[in-house]
Amino acid sequence: GGHLSWRSALTFPDRFAAILPMSGGYRRFVDDDALYNAYNVRGYATWGEEEPYGINVDNRILRDAMEAHGFPWRFKELPGNHPLDLAELARVAEWSTEVRRDVYPRAVVALRSTLSFASDQEDPRWDTRHAWEPERPIHLESMHWVDLFPVVDGEGKPVAQRVLARNLGGNRFSVTAQEAKKVRLYLHPSMVDLAKPITVLVNEEPAFEGEVRPRIETLLEHVRRTGDRGAVYHAAIEVEVSTS
């Protein structure tokens, strides 16, 4: 359960108000540079000082990396092993009741790749493989109000893409993209004034300037594709990425 909670934070963070992993997680998420998406959701991770499979060591590594980069997470190492202290679990539960999903955050980090949390790699500590099945219903290319598009190398293998999209206010957006070729930004009236022109910078260069009309087709298509009825968007902008 703790491991799957971490994988949910790395793969589908925009679906949750918070992730509460207990005694899960791999240092591999740091080693493989796979932590980016967990920036998009709040979290409260707990583990014991004495854990099997090196889980305590792995969680300290995850904590240090995420605290160094300002992730909106809390971390608590507790005495002993399973089961963890019930008083701390009560504090986790109380904290979680105050958290709401932020559907329209000011900044979105999007990593899409075939890194270990979503690939056919085997961990020697477990007797199974963890493989991503592309036909599953939740699409990997969406992250909050940002969509990425598949990019492959000369051998047809997926290329890791990293994107930081920020709503700067005043109908201005900036996109910092690495290895991406195209990015779609979804818009909601709480994010922009759709009656006024919108500006998008991509890697510090102007990529879009103009008005964007709301379209019912955009709203319906997004809900149909993602299955997320809580994420409503009135319009969208697609911008090309010519630099990295």
Side-chain angles (χ1 to χ4, degrees):
H3 292 301
L4 189 57
S5 295
W6 272 105
R7 293 175 186 276
S8 298
L10 300 179
T11 312
F12 309 121
D14 53 341
R15 297 302 177 104
F16 303 97
I19 304 289
L20 313 173
M22 300 173 183
S23 299
Y26 299 119
R27 67 174 297 166
R28 191 173 71 201
F29 301 148
V30 176
D31 298 339
D32 288 351
D33 226 13
L35 280 177
Y36 292 89
N37 290 339
Y39 185 82
N40 296 306
V41 64
R42 296 179 66 181
Y44 198 139
T46 54
W47 67 93
E49 294 176 345
E50 301 174 9
E51 294 271 9
Y53 311 109
I55 291 173
N56 50 345
V57 176
D58 287 0
N59 271 271
R60 292 168 194 154
I61 293 171
L62 289 166
R63 175 196 61 199
D64 293 347
M66 295 173 75
E67 287 184 344
H69 292 89
F71 280 60
W73 281 60
R74 293 186 178 190
F75 303 90
K76 191 66 173 292
E77 183 170 291
L78 303 168
N81 189 5
H82 304 11
L84 298 178
D85 178 46
L86 292 180
E88 182 62 27
L89 300 189
R91 284 189 284 271
V92 172
E94 182 180 3
W95 175 85
S96 69
T97 63
E98 301 173 358
V99 180
R100 297 292 181 269
R101 183 169 75 137
D102 187 358
V103 182
Y104 311 113
R106 302 288 288 188
V108 176
V109 177
L111 166 66
R112 286 302 178 232
S113 70
T114 54
L115 294 173
S116 58
F117 67 88
S119 68
D120 191 23
Q121 292 191 19
E122 188 171 4
D123 191 296
R125 295 174 290 187
W126 306 99
D127 60 356
T128 187
R129 286 179 175 269
H130 306 285
W132 169 252
E133 298 176 12
E135 299 306 316
R136 287 179 178 178
I138 300 180
H139 291 262
L140 275 175
E141 69 270 15
S142 297
M143 185 66 66
H144 282 295
W145 43 270
V146 176
D147 269 5
L148 303 185
F149 296 81
V151 176
V152 297
D153 61 18
E155 299 179 355
K157 297 180 180 180
V159 174
Q161 303 177 58
R162 295 174 177 84
V163 169
L164 168 61
R166 292 186 295 162
N167 181 354
L168 304 176
N171 276 24
R172 291 175 58 83
F173 292 83
S174 73
V175 175
T176 304
Q178 189 175 48
E179 301 300 338
K181 302 301 181 184
K182 183 168 62 173
V183 177
R184 179 186 293 128
L185 307 180
Y186 287 96
L187 307 174
H188 183 269
S190 67
M191 302 166 60
V192 296
D193 183 348
L194 290 170
K196 297 180 180 180
I198 296 170
T199 300
V200 181
L201 304 177
V202 175
N203 292 337
E204 301 183 353
E205 297 292 334
F208 179 88
E209 178 78 42
E211 295 185 1
V212 182
R213 294 180 58 189
R215 300 178 68 250
I216 190 66
E217 294 88 350
T218 299
L219 183 152
L220 294 175
E221 172 59 20
H222 184 272
V223 173
R224 183 200 66 80
R225 184 168 55 81
T226 66
D228 189 351
R229 299 182 182 182
V232 174
Y233 298 101
H234 294 206
I237 299 172
E238 284 189 9
V239 291
E240 302 293 331
V241 181
S242 59
T243 59
S244 187

